[in-house]
Amino acid sequence: MSGNTSFAAALVARRDLAFALRGLAMALGSGLLWGLNGVVLDKGLSQTPFADPALWLAAPLAASALHDVLAGLWNLLFNAATGRMREIGRSLATRPGLLVGLGALFGGPLGMGGYIVGLRLAGPAYVLPITSLYPAVASALAAVLLGERIVPRAWLGLALCACGVAVMGWSPPQGAEGSQFYLGLGMAALATVGWGAEGVLSTSAMDLLDPPVALNIRQFVSGAFYLLVVLPLVGGWPVLARAVVSPGGAVIVAASVIGAGSYLLWYRAMNRTGVSRAMAVNVTYALWGVVFSALFTGAALTAGVWLGAAAIVGGMMLVVGDPRRMADLRATDDSPVRAAP
Amino acid sequence: MTAVKAPLRMAVMAVLETGEPLTAADISGRLALNYPGERQSAPEAVEDHLQALRAVGLVRRAAAYLAGERLIESYCITGRGRARLAWSRWGAPAAGSGPMDKPCNAPGGES
């Protein structure tokens, strides 16, 4: 009898470990696809109609809208194929559904919009290091709002990840600071908070909602906000109309398929492994982006890239820690696992 | 007029709200009445929902034992789970105020 009990306990531990490891694999897959997505998006943005310098603001926002709306459609097809269609309507009418919608506004228009405008006004040398802090912001919010367990070692790992992303993406500042430079820094800070808040709001909602369904709600809200509010404000509709029948638009369509897969894995990973671990593993996108750039565009792998890669991998390992300790993600008063005969 | 059904993950929690420890197959059987033919209410999908709910402390494993070579696990809702479920419903009473708010017991009183 006691042999059976200990065997059952061992099976339970193995099942919990497998669940956690699948979550980590999803986060890694999400980072890999996001790195590839960045390279493909970059190619699309360098083509007609997005490459026109006069469209510096409208073009990236139109591309972003096209990308997000299409990614939402691909995810909708996934949900239809896996029998989740009816769940979308049911989930919309709940408080967690509302939380996902709020997260969408933080992550889409505020996060991505702030990032794009920040890049334009302040340049990547300043914006990339600021926005690389978003996993740390998300983890701080997750610790406070979700009661997620984050040990000092994990904070060190998050700092290392942020440094790695910053080192990898750093380029020397060019020219004097413009009059809108500080506005650009502010926009980058807004993007950082926006992405962090999206992660925490969505993860909180996914306690009670299926991740692919929550993601679809996020994509619908973000897509609608882009199409109905952002694009009319920046004159993006004509760009979008031109993009639909242009080579650049076709590349964005391809990117949206990759992006949809990345989003899906990211949301599932956050639900399974917690915000801090999922984000720490997801930021490997910076590393994968450089690898794919080197493979497909012949970009050089500089010393800075290797240094940044080492910092990201080291930081990620510190945050993830021992997967066997991932069985219970949150601090709770209820007793955890008990095996009984 | 038909009431809007709850999302499945919330429905899984609602089934556990009675305080009775249940397996994924038990829960799937009860959900089949309200969600007939839906793939997401199959035992395997319910098991996946339970694992995710357990990781964030909304349900806990009440018992785990072997039936032949199969691992059988039963789950209970936690206090935190009750509170989150109550919060998720529009106009729902506060957690702990309902008549169904019983403690969770493992089968055979071995909690």
Side-chain angles (χ1 to χ4, degrees):
Chain A
M1 186 66 181
S2 72
N4 263 358
T5 305
S6 57
F7 187 55
L11 284 180
V12 165
R14 201 162 73 185
R15 178 178 280 194
D16 289 349
L17 179 63
F19 182 81
L21 288 177
R22 274 202 302 275
L24 288 178
M26 285 172 180
L28 196 62
S30 151
L32 193 146
L33 286 179
W34 199 246
L36 180 61
N37 184 67
V39 174
V40 178
L41 262 180
D42 204 39
K43 180 130 181 98
L45 286 171
S46 67
Q47 296 183 19
T48 310
F50 304 112
D52 185 346
L55 302 172
W56 67 270
L57 184 60
L61 287 173
S64 191
L66 183 62
H67 177 276
D68 276 17
V69 169
L70 286 175
L73 284 178
W74 307 139
N75 190 39
L76 188 68
L77 289 178
F78 172 83
N79 280 332
T82 53
R84 290 181 165 95
M85 281 297 271
R86 279 179 277 193
E87 279 285 288
I88 297 171
R90 291 170 191 155
S91 303
L92 267 172
T94 62
R95 279 194 173 123
L98 199 68
L99 218 53
V100 173
L102 189 63
L105 296 180
F106 273 105
L110 194 67
M112 190 52 82
Y115 177 68
I116 288 169
V117 176
L119 272 180
R120 178 67 193 181
L121 299 181
Y126 298 97
V127 169
L128 287 177
I130 293 173
T131 52
S132 68
L133 293 173
Y134 85 90
V137 170
S139 298
L141 291 172
V144 174
L145 300 176
L146 303 181
E148 202 166 285
R149 292 182 174 122
I150 303 170
V151 296
R153 183 200 68 237
W155 286 115
L156 181 67
L158 285 163
L160 252 180
C161 283
C163 290
V165 174
V167 166
M168 204 172 259
W170 192 81
S171 57
Q174 291 173 347
E177 296 166 2
S179 59
Q180 291 178 311
F181 174 75
Y182 291 104
L183 179 62
L185 294 188
M187 296 306 283
L190 268 184
T192 308
V193 174
W195 284 334
E198 181 204 357
V200 174
L201 290 170
S202 300
T203 301
S204 173
M206 285 188 293
D207 286 356
L208 296 160
L209 299 181
D210 204 3
V213 174
L215 173 60
N216 236 163
I217 295 173
R218 185 258 191 239
Q219 289 166 324
F220 288 151
V221 173
S222 171
F225 196 84
Y226 266 122
L227 295 179
L228 302 176
V229 179
V230 176
L231 291 192
L233 278 176
V234 300
W237 270 102
V239 185
L240 192 62
R242 280 171 60 200
V244 171
V245 290
S246 71
V251 179
I252 302 292
V253 172
S256 72
V257 177
I258 302 166
S262 175
Y263 270 126
L264 188 60
L265 290 172
W266 184 39
Y267 264 55
R268 297 187 90 161
M270 283 197 294
N271 182 232
R272 282 170 175 257
T273 70
V275 175
S276 55
R277 285 193 190 88
M279 287 206 171
V281 181
N282 177 264
V283 292
T284 55
Y285 74 82
L287 168 62
W288 298 117
V290 173
V291 170
F292 286 124
S293 289
L295 279 176
F296 299 135
T297 68
L301 294 173
T302 62
V305 166
W306 290 113
L307 190 66
I312 289 173
V313 172
M316 183 184 77
M317 289 168 77
L318 283 174
V319 177
V320 170
D322 183 353
R324 282 172 297 185
R325 297 178 69 102
M326 284 171 55
D328 303 294
L329 300 172
R330 310 254 176 92
T332 169
D333 294 334
D334 292 289
S335 59
V337 178
R338 287 180 300 162
Chain B
M1 193 174 123
T2 313
V4 178
K5 290 175 189 168
L8 263 159
R9 201 170 273 199
M10 285 166 61
V12 167
M13 301 263 293
V15 170
L16 288 170
E17 226 179 357
T18 58
E20 186 186 356
L22 296 170
T23 65
D26 296 332
I27 296 169
S28 174
R30 295 189 191 191
L31 289 177
L33 300 171
N34 277 329
Y35 300 84
E38 292 198 27
R39 263 182 286 171
Q40 289 304 309
S41 67
E44 301 75 31
V46 170
E47 181 65 51
D48 205 51
H49 286 310
L50 286 167
Q51 285 267 336
L53 291 166
R54 185 201 50 73
V56 295
L58 300 188
V59 305
R60 67 177 170 81
R61 211 176 259 118
Y65 52 93
L66 288 171
E69 292 193 347
R70 261 192 81 211
L71 177 68
I72 306 290
E73 297 167 280
S74 61
Y75 294 86
C76 280
I77 193 166
T78 62
R80 186 192 189 130
R82 285 181 197 283
R84 289 282 281 152
L85 188 60
W87 167 84
S88 70
R89 296 167 171 153
W90 299 109
S97 63
M100 307 281 266
D101 199 18
K102 299 174 192 164
C104 176
N105 297 311
E110 296 190 43
S111 64

